[in-house]
Amino acid sequence: MTETPLAYADRVRTLLGYRTVSELIADDHNVFIDPYSALLSVHARIGTGNVFSPNVRIDAESDALRIGDGNRFFEGTRIEATDGGRVSIGADNEFGPHAVALLANRHDAVITVGSRVRLIGRIDLAGASTLGDGSQILGDVTAVNVSLVGGESHRDPDPDLRGAVLKGRGRATGLTLTRGHVINADGDFATAAVEAQSVYHPRPAVD
């Protein structure tokens, strides 16, 4: 009997260590908009209410990747928790749109993403990096060994209570940025000014 396209896709994915298309379709707890293009490692531990857009690829070794609830992974998102690296993702985060990559693909790489975090643009996050609750990386940014201190989400009316933000374009290496602050860079983030987020988002007037 000729193998059906679904049977072929399931067989190949099983060989390569990914969940089968049939398993993704049968997942009642998460949404895979195009299960034929989404690749999800069998080792990835994921919660509920997550939405995976087309062409998302997630590679992980055993016990190396945990994803919480209610996250949105837009097209082209790439996550690697391989070669001894580890990734932990909280809840209600946005990865994309555009190409976002979390690359924990070496033994000393540990990427921790809190909750209500936004990564929007062409973002590469690597090394030992921690993104606290409500933090953001926006633009065309490569971030390695960074720590963005958490706070409230981008929806909070007081911008200086929000999680730290990197935005613009360029490379950020070895930076720690505190709550309510932002670096808006064009090139090397280390040489750009650290500013209060209220510079860009004034607090609402109080009657």
Side-chain angles (χ1 to χ4, degrees), residues 23 46 159:
E23 289 171 330
I46 64 174

Side-chain angles (χ1 to χ4, degrees), residues 174-185:
L175 293 178
T176 296
L177 190 61
T178 57
R179 184 182 73 168
H181 288 89
V182 56
I183 299 178
N184 185 6

Side-chain angles (χ1 to χ4, degrees), residues 123-156:
I123 311 297
D124 288 346
L125 180 65
S129 293
T130 300
L131 306 186
D133 294 348
S135 61
Q136 302 177 75
I137 303 179
L138 313 171
D140 185 354
V141 181
T142 297
V144 182
N145 299 332
V146 300
S147 178
L148 302 186
V149 176
E152 301 300 326
S153 78
H154 70 282
R155 296 184 176 88
D156 192 274

Side-chain angles (χ1 to χ4, degrees), residues 85-107:
R86 302 191 307 279
V87 175
S88 176
I89 296 171
D92 301 318
N93 300 296
E94 297 178 42
F95 299 90
H98 306 303
V100 172
L102 276 59
L103 304 174
N105 50 15
R106 47 187 292 174
H107 74 280

Side-chain angles (χ1 to χ4, degrees), residues 30-198:
N30 298 282
V31 174
F32 297 88
I33 295 175
D34 179 8
Y36 279 92
S37 70
L39 295 174
L40 178 63
S41 170
V42 296
H43 298 299
R45 298 177 62 181
I46 64 174
T48 63
N50 298 289
V51 178
F52 298 86
S53 294
N55 300 310
V56 171
R57 177 171 175 174
I58 298 176
D59 294 299
E61 295 173 346
S62 180
D63 295 324
L65 173 61
R66 295 187 179 188
I67 296 173
D69 303 328
N71 297 288
R72 181 68 184 264
F73 300 92
F74 287 89
E75 294 85 347
T77 299
R78 175 76 181 268
I79 299 175
E80 293 183 17
T82 59
D83 298 322
R86 302 191 307 279
V87 175
S88 176
I89 296 171
D92 301 318
N93 300 296
E94 297 178 42
F95 299 90
H98 306 303
V100 172
L102 276 59
L103 304 174
N105 50 15
R106 47 187 292 174
H107 74 280
D108 57 350
V110 180
I111 295 176
T112 302
V113 178
S115 297
R116 305 182 308 281
V117 172
R118 294 201 306 169
L119 303 182
I120 300 178
R122 186 184 180 280
I123 311 297
D124 288 346
L125 180 65
S129 293
T130 300
L131 306 186
D133 294 348
S135 61
Q136 302 177 75
I137 303 179
L138 313 171
D140 185 354
V141 181
T142 297
V144 182
N145 299 332
V146 300
S147 178
L148 302 186
V149 176
E152 301 300 326
S153 78
H154 70 282
R155 296 184 176 88
D156 192 274
D158 188 342
D160 292 338
L161 296 180
R162 299 172 185 173
V165 177
L166 300 177
K167 69 177 184 176
R169 60 182 298 273
R171 183 177 181 88
T173 303
L175 293 178
T176 296
L177 190 61
T178 57
R179 184 182 73 168
H181 288 89
V182 56
I183 299 178
N184 185 6
D186 186 3
D188 184 357
F189 277 77
T191 63
V194 176
E195 302 173 284
Q197 292 186 38
S198 54

